[in-house]
Amino acid sequence: MISAGVNGEVGGEVGGIHRFVVFGDICGSGTLDMAEKKHQRAAMYAAFDDAYSSVGVEPGTFHQEDRGDGILAALRPDVPPTLMVGRWIDTLYESLRAHNKGRGRPLRLRIGMNAGLVVQDRHGIVGRAVDVAARLCDSSPARRIMSETPDVSLLVVVSDWLYVNVVAEGGRYVEPDHYRSARVRSKETDEAAWFHVPRRPAPPLIGLDGELPPEGEGAREGRPAAGRERLPAAGARTGGGGAARGAPPPRRPDRPRPHMFSRCSTAWPTSLCLPAGPSS
């Protein structure tokens, strides 16, 4: 476990700090033999290292836990979240594509992303933000997409909060128009999430419960035409122009951003960083 201790301390009590959380998992690892498990695990760590390096996150400056066939990480509050939903995802995708070239059994990852209060101790990290990131990664729509579209090597699922407050604002390598929303219901979690397949105009989802489109079926209610054939080949750039047909609606102006934090670093919006200390 790689860990850089980050907690907020107010009045002698340790509290949580708003951190960006990533939960990654290898698809189909239970079907691999031991040699292939070790190979894909090493490739997953190498891809994550490439992605961290691309956004200037140095080893030892963040918390990372090994999950056997997955990784749980929490970044420090001074890491700009736009980099994580932009360049970090793009670099991870490129690393997977390079690794998978010519391989009969490609490495395929599901990634859950969230942000929120995280508490860290000597055992690891805990918080609702961590729970939700895990649920997004392991959600039924995410598993269904990867099971039924074997040519997809990377699926990213972000929380509704993260989409509205970070992804929807756009930025370099960020493609808010290429996300689609579906409901995630798992254990105590029942909320909207946003699904994204890098370099494709949309993941193969229709309906609020994350149904996949029947093969060859046409568009419904303004959503992109269903069926696997509507997606460009993996690796094809789709450009960053205007909103595509069936793109997510713009963020509602009447939907306020949370205001829970102060004493913020410059990386997050002023409402999203360190816990406020006692007034002087």
Side-chain angles (χ1 to χ4, degrees):
M1 177 174 69
I2 301 173
S3 184
V6 178
N7 276 317
E9 186 170 340
V10 179
E13 294 186 4
V14 175
I17 282 182
H18 200 280
R19 302 177 71 174
F20 195 104
V21 179
V22 178
F23 197 106
D25 189 70
I26 297 175
C27 298
S29 62
T31 65
L32 306 176
D33 61 27
M34 186 59 71
E36 189 63 23
K37 284 179 185 290
K38 292 171 62 178
H39 176 78
Q40 290 210 354
R41 174 182 156 93
M44 173 184 65
Y45 271 96
F48 266 63
D49 288 346
D50 288 345
Y52 289 135
S53 178
S54 74
V55 296
V57 174
E58 299 295 331
T61 64
F62 60 97
H63 176 88
Q64 183 165 278
E65 296 179 21
D66 179 74
R67 292 302 176 99
D69 61 351
I71 291 174
L72 169 62
L75 285 297
R76 293 180 61 90
D78 57 354
V79 177
T82 301
L83 289 180
M84 293 300 296
V85 300
R87 185 185 292 273
W88 191 93
I89 291 175
D90 189 75
T91 303
L92 185 67
Y93 168 82
E94 288 290 353
S95 295
L96 289 177
R97 186 170 71 158
H99 169 79
N100 290 337
K101 187 175 182 180
R103 294 187 181 275
R105 189 70 182 260
L107 171 61
R108 307 172 68 230
L109 298 178
R110 298 188 312 274
I111 303 291
M113 288 183 160
N114 191 24
L117 285 176
V118 175
V119 173
Q120 181 174 328
D121 59 23
R122 65 188 183 90
H123 302 294
I125 56 176
V126 66
R128 173 67 178 159
V130 178
D131 296 341
V132 171
R135 303 292 184 263
L136 299 181
C137 177
D138 199 45
S139 65
S140 293
R143 287 184 173 275
R144 198 177 304 132
I145 289 172
M146 298 305 279
S147 173
E148 300 191 21
T149 52
D151 56 325
V152 170
S153 62
L154 177 63
L155 173 68
V156 178
V157 190
V158 305
S159 65
D160 188 57
W161 187 97
L162 192 60
Y163 181 86
V164 169
N165 289 278
V166 181
V167 175
E169 298 294 336
R172 192 175 184 187
Y173 299 106
V174 183
E175 300 179 309
D177 295 339
H178 297 175
Y179 284 70
R180 293 293 179 272
S181 181
R183 203 79 188 168
V184 168
R185 296 182 174 92
S186 176
K187 296 184 179 179
E188 75 292 337
T189 301
D190 183 358
E191 56 188 75
W194 293 83
F195 294 74
H196 175 53
V197 176
R199 308 292 175 83
R200 298 196 177 193
L205 285 173
I206 60 172
L208 295 179
D209 289 312
E211 305 94 335
L212 267 68
E215 188 70 25
E217 184 175 311
R220 288 186 185 177
E221 300 178 358
R223 292 184 177 271
R228 205 169 299 164
E229 67 277 7
R230 66 174 171 81
L231 301 177
R237 287 196 175 271
T238 55
R245 183 184 181 190
R251 175 165 46 86
R252 297 191 300 272
D254 60 341
R255 182 170 187 170
R257 297 172 185 265
H259 295 282
M260 300 182 292
F261 302 86
S262 60
R263 294 198 293 130
C264 186
S265 76
T266 57
W268 291 89
T270 55
S271 60
L272 305 181
C273 284
L274 303 180
S279 57
S280 56

